[in-house]
């Protein structure tokens, strides 16, 4: 290397010298960014001989874990124009591959079935993390098939660059649940907890079922911590006792909020009250009121309440009723809306929920103000986190029919769909996308629907850079509406200051039309935003710019709010 003099690195020669660059030479298989994450030496950091020796050992250990058992690493340094450059010289050597995978001790399941479950295959590189994952996969499979005390270990023998992987299994007895015990509850009834667990005496043991039960208890919002333990009922039987230790949290809460939102600039005052253990039966009631005035005497007032009864009549069906009212004044126009939604829902799978609801809605001061409808909806939610999802998807299709035998003033069919996906790209960066569609079809007495039963688009959560309700063929209170909605959003989310402050780049597109998808009517917007993480979700500040036919002197629009756009 021209200009780079390699010598033995002595602590005295680099005392107080910060490293300007870290290089890796000879790494044919593993990329530099992966190796840089292994060593502690970083640009700007003052290094010592001890630290570099530890980095050499860490690199050799990491290479061994990736199947390079003969890898060797040496360190060096050089001064180039007064800059200290540290170089790690790598001799990777040959990579060991798996020649055979053998299972021992599996008396209850054939080897062919278990081998199909494993993340490693014959011919794969021998990677320590994948071997450990194979052990965990077997352990989880047995634990979910009735074997709570299974033990799985791995052993690797090598001959040159070929390895034999042996997985030893001690199955233990296949067990059934004799008893479920609850400990630690003070105000929540034991039978309320047992009902939420959905675990029956005599059923076959399944670790997955216990984790699902634990998640259901957390979902009640009655407990700050839930732990479970499994023990043998006795030394000879095939039954176990499962004990859940719960730590309660306050079941009632009262919250107040004061703030503002933009655009347009307007104040916001809110209050919420909830009780999560009504009658000590896990029933819930929530109420909330919100008042939002602007500076030209327009305002919005909203009130809503929700009463929820889980496990109606000792079934897995939840009952819910949701009364609401909404008043809005925009210039000389006013809208007063009252209604109630009542229905039932059921969790079919941990990630799949189905619901059937009746909605009665009355909009005052209009000729066709009463809507009575039935809505069927489903939700599939595999997100790993509600506030900051990094993996998974959220899909919510729905259909609604109003009028006809349900009476009311409005006859229509409505179809909606909302699909969101989240994919981690590494280094804290997440790609997020959403697609939304809606179509409402009038029938019977209605040739056209009133604006409040149609769709609108624009603003902070749909099409940033455009004013609220700014695209559509039909005029209504405070904007434009239409019977067809198409909306798409794409965001790249990444950290800029640790895990607390993030940067978001986004692009939005969408339209509301009278019928089909008119490409010429689609609006486009793009911009960037800042996210600040808080215990109640990220606070966001977005700047969005209208890209299609922006008005003169358009400088974009700022949006301040709570939570991501989707």
């Amino acid at each position: 290397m021209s200009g780079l003099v390699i010598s033995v690195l002595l602590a005295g020669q680099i005392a107080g010298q910060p490293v300007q660059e870290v290089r890796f030479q000879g790494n044919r298989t593993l990329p530099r960014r992966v190796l840089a994450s292994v060593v502690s030496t970083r640009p700007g950091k003052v290094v010592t001989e001890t630290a570099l020796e530890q980095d050499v050992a860490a690199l050799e250990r990491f290479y061994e874990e990736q199947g390079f058992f003969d890898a060797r690493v040496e360190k060096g340094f050089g001064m180039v124009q007064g800059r200290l450059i540290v170089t790690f010289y790598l001799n990777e050597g040959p990579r060991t591959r798996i020649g055979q995978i053998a299972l021992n001790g599996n008396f209850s399941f054939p080897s062919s079935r278990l081998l199909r479950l494993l993340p490693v295959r014959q011919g794969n590189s021998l990677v320590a993390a994948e071997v450990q994952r194979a052990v965990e996969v077997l352990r989880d499979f047995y634990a979910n098939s009735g074997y709570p005390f299974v033990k799985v270990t791995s052993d690797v023998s090598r001959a040159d660059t070929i390895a034999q992987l042996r997985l030893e299994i001690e199955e233990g007895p296949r067990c059934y649940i004799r008893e479920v015990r609850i400990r630690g509850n003070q105000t929540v009834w034991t039978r309320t907890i047992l009902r939420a667990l959905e675990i029956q005496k005599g059923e076959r043991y399944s670790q997955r079922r216990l984790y699902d039960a634990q998640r259901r208890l957390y979902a009640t919002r009655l407990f700050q911590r839930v732990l479970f333990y499994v023990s043998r009922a006795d030394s000879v039987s095939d039954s176990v006792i499962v004990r859940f230790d719960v730590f309660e949290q306050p079941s009632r809460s009262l919250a107040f909020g004061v703030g503002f939102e933009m655009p347009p600039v307007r104040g916001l005052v809110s209050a919420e009250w909830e009780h999560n253990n009504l009658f000590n039966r896990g029933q819930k009631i929530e109420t909330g009121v919100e008042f939002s005035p602007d500076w030209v005497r327009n305002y919005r007032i909203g009130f809503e309440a929700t009463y929820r009864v889980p496990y109606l009549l000792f079934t897995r069906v939840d009952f819910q009723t949701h009364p609401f009212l909404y008043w809005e004044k925009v210039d000389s126009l006013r809208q007063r809306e009252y209604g109630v939604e009542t229905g039932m829902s059921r969790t079919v799978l941990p990630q799949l929920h189905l619901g059937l609801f009746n909605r009665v809605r009355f909009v005052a001061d209009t000729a066709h103000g009463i809507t009575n409808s039935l809505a069927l909806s489903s939700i599939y939610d595999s997100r790993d986190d509600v506030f900051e999802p990094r993996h998974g998807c959220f899909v919510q299709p729905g259909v609604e029919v109003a009028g006809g035998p349900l009476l009311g003033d409005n006859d229509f069919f409505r179809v909606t769909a909302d699909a969101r996906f989240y994919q981690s790209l590494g280094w804290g960066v997440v790609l997020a996308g959403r697609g939304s569609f809606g179509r409402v079809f009038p029938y019977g007495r209605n040739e056209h629907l009133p604006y409040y039963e149609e769709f609108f688009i624009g603003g902070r959560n749909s099409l940033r850079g455009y004013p609220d309700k700014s695209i559509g063929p039909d005029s209504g209170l405070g904007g434009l509406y239409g019977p067809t909605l198409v909306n798409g959003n794409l965001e790249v989310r990444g950290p800029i200051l640790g895990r607390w402050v993030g940067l978001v780049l986004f692009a939005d597109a969408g339209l509301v039309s009278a019928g089909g998808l008119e490409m010429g009517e689609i609006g486009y917007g793009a911009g960037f935003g800042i996210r600040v993480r808080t215990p109640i979700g990220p606070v966001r500040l977005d700047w969005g710019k209208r890209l299609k036919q922006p008005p003169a002197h358009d400088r974009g629009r700022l949006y301040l709010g709570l939570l991501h756009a989707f």
Side-chain angles (χ1 to χ4, degrees):
M1 180 181 297
S2 177
L4 183 62
V5 180
I6 305 301
S7 65
V8 176
L9 184 59
L10 300 176
Q13 291 177 280
I14 62 169
Q17 289 280 351
V19 176
Q20 301 299 319
E21 185 179 352
V22 180
R23 297 177 180 176
F24 299 89
Q25 288 190 7
N27 52 310
R28 296 169 301 170
T29 307
L30 302 179
R32 180 196 177 282
R33 62 178 180 84
V34 173
L35 300 178
S37 66
V38 175
V39 300
S40 62
T41 303
R42 301 280 190 276
K45 183 177 180 180
V46 177
V47 298
T48 64
E49 177 75 11
T50 301
L52 290 179
E53 289 290 351
Q54 291 174 348
D55 284 344
V56 168
L59 284 171
E60 291 183 345
R61 186 168 55 251
F62 179 74
Y63 263 95
E64 182 176 328
E65 292 172 350
Q66 306 307 307
F68 296 90
F69 289 89
D70 297 323
R72 295 295 178 264
V73 181
E74 295 182 358
K75 63 186 185 306
F77 85 100
M79 298 295 294
V80 177
Q81 298 180 350
R83 301 172 68 246
L84 176 61
I85 300 176
V86 172
T87 304
F88 293 97
Y89 299 93
L90 309 165
N91 182 6
E92 293 181 339
R95 194 171 197 177
T96 300
R97 298 190 176 275
I98 300 174
Q100 183 181 3
I101 303 176
L103 301 175
N104 296 318
N106 51 306
F107 302 108
S108 302
F109 303 98
S111 295
S112 57
R113 179 179 181 183
L114 299 180
L115 288 172
R116 286 195 298 268
L117 301 174
L118 300 182
V120 294
R121 295 288 186 272
Q122 185 175 334
N124 286 7
S125 299
L126 180 63
V127 179
E130 293 181 0
V131 172
Q132 180 59 34
R133 177 61 185 149
V135 170
E136 294 172 356
V137 166
L138 287 179
R139 187 182 298 133
D140 289 344
F141 172 78
Y142 269 91
N144 293 326
S145 302
Y147 296 85
F149 307 109
V150 64
K151 296 180 181 179
V152 182
T153 58
S154 63
D155 181 68
V156 176
S157 59
R158 291 190 301 120
D160 197 12
T161 60
I162 301 298
Q164 181 184 22
L165 172 61
R166 292 189 303 275
L167 297 169
E168 298 285 346
I169 303 172
E170 295 182 26
E171 294 181 340
R174 189 177 192 181
C175 295
Y176 298 83
I177 296 177
R178 173 184 290 186
E179 184 180 358
V180 180
R181 298 175 180 174
I182 308 298
R183 190 173 72 172
N185 52 314
Q186 303 294 323
T187 61
V188 185
W189 288 352
T190 297
R191 64 172 177 266
T192 299
I193 300 174
L194 291 173
R195 184 184 61 189
L197 291 176
E198 298 184 11
I199 296 176
Q200 305 298 323
K201 296 180 181 179
E203 72 173 69
R204 189 184 69 186
Y205 175 87
S206 170
Q207 178 178 263
R208 183 185 298 113
R209 288 267 295 153
L210 296 185
Y211 279 118
D212 289 343
Q214 183 186 47
R215 281 192 289 269
R216 282 191 292 272
L217 287 187
Y218 276 122
T220 65
R221 298 163 63 183
L222 294 172
F223 309 102
Q224 59 182 333
R225 195 161 54 138
V226 178
L227 306 173
F228 65 83
Y229 304 90
V230 180
S231 60
R232 294 282 293 270
D234 53 59
S235 59
V236 295
S237 70
D238 60 353
S239 59
V240 295
I241 296 174
V242 179
R243 191 187 80 224
F244 281 85
D245 288 357
V246 297
F247 302 84
E248 295 181 356
Q249 62 184 3
S251 59
R252 299 176 229 186
S253 65
L254 179 64
F256 298 94
V258 178
F260 69 96
E261 60 181 31
M262 58 185 293
V265 177
R266 61 192 309 149
L268 181 64
V269 180
S270 65
E272 296 179 356
W273 176 81
E274 67 176 6
H275 194 316
N276 292 315
N277 190 29
L278 202 62
F279 311 124
N280 288 330
R281 299 189 178 191
Q283 300 179 13
K284 303 176 184 296
I285 185 169
E286 304 174 15
T287 61
V289 61
E290 180 180 293
F291 175 59
S292 179
D294 64 13
W295 314 122
V296 291
R297 298 186 178 181
N298 295 322
Y299 60 83
R300 296 195 307 254
I301 300 175
F303 170 82
E304 59 182 8
T306 301
Y307 173 57
R308 180 171 174 265
V309 181
Y311 299 93
L312 183 66
L313 300 177
F314 305 102
T315 67
R316 298 182 64 185
V317 175
D318 295 347
F319 169 82
Q320 178 176 300
T321 185
H322 174 69
F324 61 88
L325 66 85
Y326 179 80
W327 297 345
E328 183 174 7
K329 175 181 177 294
V330 179
D331 299 327
S332 61
L333 301 176
R334 300 173 188 269
Q335 177 175 320
R336 295 177 296 163
E337 180 180 334
Y338 312 86
V340 60
E341 293 181 1
T342 302
M344 294 176 290
S345 63
R346 175 169 178 172
T347 300
V348 180
L349 298 170
Q351 298 170 332
L352 180 61
H353 313 271
L354 299 178
L356 179 64
F357 292 87
N358 169 242
R359 178 170 66 99
V360 179
R361 181 184 190 187
F362 171 63
V363 179
D365 307 316
T366 61
H368 302 280
I370 300 177
T371 299
N372 189 16
S373 66
L374 278 177
L376 176 65
S377 67
S378 64
I379 296 176
Y380 178 82
D381 189 357
S382 64
R383 294 174 296 177
D384 59 341
D385 188 88
V386 176
F387 290 151
E388 293 283 357
R390 302 180 60 81
H391 301 279
C393 64
F394 176 94
V395 182
Q396 184 177 17
V399 294
E400 182 181 9
V401 57
L406 299 173
L407 303 179
D409 297 325
N410 299 308
D411 302 334
F412 63 83
F413 295 101
R414 188 195 313 272
V415 180
T416 58
D418 183 16
R420 313 172 190 183
F421 76 89
Y422 307 88
Q423 179 60 53
S424 173
L425 303 180
W427 300 90
V429 179
V430 176
L431 178 66
R434 176 179 66 179
S436 301
F437 170 79
R439 184 73 166 94
V440 59
F441 304 90
Y443 75 94
R445 297 167 295 174
N446 292 79
E447 293 185 7
H448 302 284
L449 288 174
Y451 70 90
Y452 51 81
E453 292 295 354
E454 295 184 322
F455 302 100
F456 58 86
I457 196 172
R460 65 172 55 83
N461 292 322
S462 57
L463 190 55
R464 286 161 285 192
Y466 286 72
D468 292 350
K469 306 175 184 177
S470 57
I471 298 178
D474 302 330
S475 297
L477 179 70
L480 302 176
Y481 302 77
T484 302
L485 166 72
V486 178
N487 185 207
N489 313 92
L490 192 66
E491 292 190 350
V492 178
R493 306 168 181 173
I496 55 175
L497 291 177
R499 58 190 297 266
W500 298 106
V501 181
L503 174 68
V504 172
L505 305 177
F506 62 81
D508 302 332
L511 85 160
V512 166
S513 69
L517 181 62
E518 302 292 339
M519 299 300 294
E521 299 178 6
I522 298 179
Y524 302 94
F528 62 91
I530 301 295
R531 301 290 184 269
V532 179
R533 180 175 293 185
T534 72
I536 58 174
V539 174
R540 63 183 172 111
L541 177 63
D542 287 342
W543 175 83
K545 182 73 169 63
R546 177 173 175 167
L547 301 181
K548 182 180 179 181
Q549 299 177 348
H553 310 295
D554 179 26
R555 297 181 178 178
R557 303 174 75 86
L558 285 173
Y559 302 94
L560 178 65
L562 184 65
L563 305 181
H564 288 289
F566 58 92

